[in-house]
Amino acid sequence: YVATGMNLVKAIDAVTGKIKWEYDPHTGEKAGNKLRSNWGTRGLSYWDGKIYIGTVDGRLIAIEAATGKELWSQLTVGPGDGRYISGAPRIFDGKIIIGHGGADSSNNRGYVTTYNAETGKQLWRFDPKTNRDYGKLACCDIVTRGVAAWKGRIYLATLDGRLIALDAKSGKRVWSVDTFEKSWPYTTTGAPRV
């Protein structure tokens, strides 16, 4: 499975190279001005016979891996708010978590949201309350590059240099630690790994 610009998803036979199906979420028609900030994707995820992708217009979509049929779609950001998704969703324990970008090009702060991977129902949202001015110094927003999941915890890096651990079931903060000197004018933009 591969995702290309405009969030087009293709299933390709690994033996023959033949395209089995294509899924087009019509991102170009729905994203509007968000295409000025970002037009591509950094990947997709697979879990239990489903492909998951975030779109530039802020949707999280589940696709049936065998057929390319859309199973559900959720708008994860406010309509017209300047947020977009470029990072690949992360899947853990039947849940899917996604962040977004946009602090560098709009008046937004970031958050992460977790959904039921089967139904698309929102389970929880966490806002680390990062000063949005950090987004102006970096390429992106909180967790636009992704999160890590391990042993019932979610780990995310924020643009103000914090590493935060959350309880995976509730989304409540477990701990937070500064990862660099606050006087240093750079931020943490990479996804943590455990």
Side-chain angles (χ1 to χ4, degrees):
Y1 303 97
V2 66
T4 63
M6 297 292 194
N7 310 116
L8 182 68
V9 178
K10 297 181 181 187
I12 301 171
D13 186 294
V15 175
T16 66
K18 180 181 176 184
I19 295 176
K20 297 167 71 174
W21 55 257
E22 293 183 12
Y23 171 80
D24 184 355
H26 303 284
T27 300
E29 299 164 23
K30 298 180 185 220
N33 288 337
K34 293 181 183 190
L35 288 175
R36 294 179 181 176
S37 302
N38 181 16
W39 61 270
T41 181
R42 291 186 175 94
L44 46 76
S45 296
Y46 177 92
W47 180 77
D48 197 29
K50 289 175 261 329
I51 301 294
Y52 299 88
I53 188 165
T55 64
V56 174
D57 57 296
R59 290 174 290 152
L60 178 62
I61 300 173
I63 305 164
E64 187 174 59
T67 66
K69 175 186 172 190
E70 182 180 303
L71 299 173
W72 56 259
S73 176
Q74 288 290 348
L75 185 62
T76 69
V77 301
D81 68 2
R83 292 178 171 105
Y84 56 83
I85 298 175
S86 62
R90 178 72 64 188
I91 301 168
F92 62 97
D93 298 332
K95 301 172 188 73
I96 187 163
I97 189 167
I98 194 75
H100 58 80
D104 52 344
S105 58
S106 65
N107 190 22
N108 292 302
R109 269 200 332 239
Y111 51 75
V112 293
T113 310
T114 297
Y115 297 86
N116 180 299
E118 287 294 328
T119 66
K121 178 184 176 189
Q122 182 176 324
L123 301 174
W124 54 262
R125 176 169 282 168
F126 176 78
D127 180 352
K129 305 205 182 319
T130 299
N131 183 331
R132 75 167 263 6
D133 288 339
Y134 283 101
K136 295 176 185 175
L137 301 173
C139 62
C140 39
D141 204 341
I142 298 162
V143 303
T144 190
R145 303 279 194 240
V147 300
W150 184 64
K151 293 191 175 184
R153 300 247 171 106
I154 300 297
Y155 301 89
L156 60 108
T158 64
L159 290 182
D160 60 357
R162 290 178 292 155
L163 179 64
I164 300 174
L166 306 176
D167 178 85
K169 289 183 182 176
S170 68
K172 303 290 183 197
R173 182 190 318 253
V174 177
W175 54 258
S176 174
V177 63
D178 288 336
T179 61
F180 69 89
E181 175 60 44
K182 291 295 183 191
S183 63
W184 189 247
Y186 296 101
T187 61
T188 307
T189 59
R193 294 290 179 248
V194 180

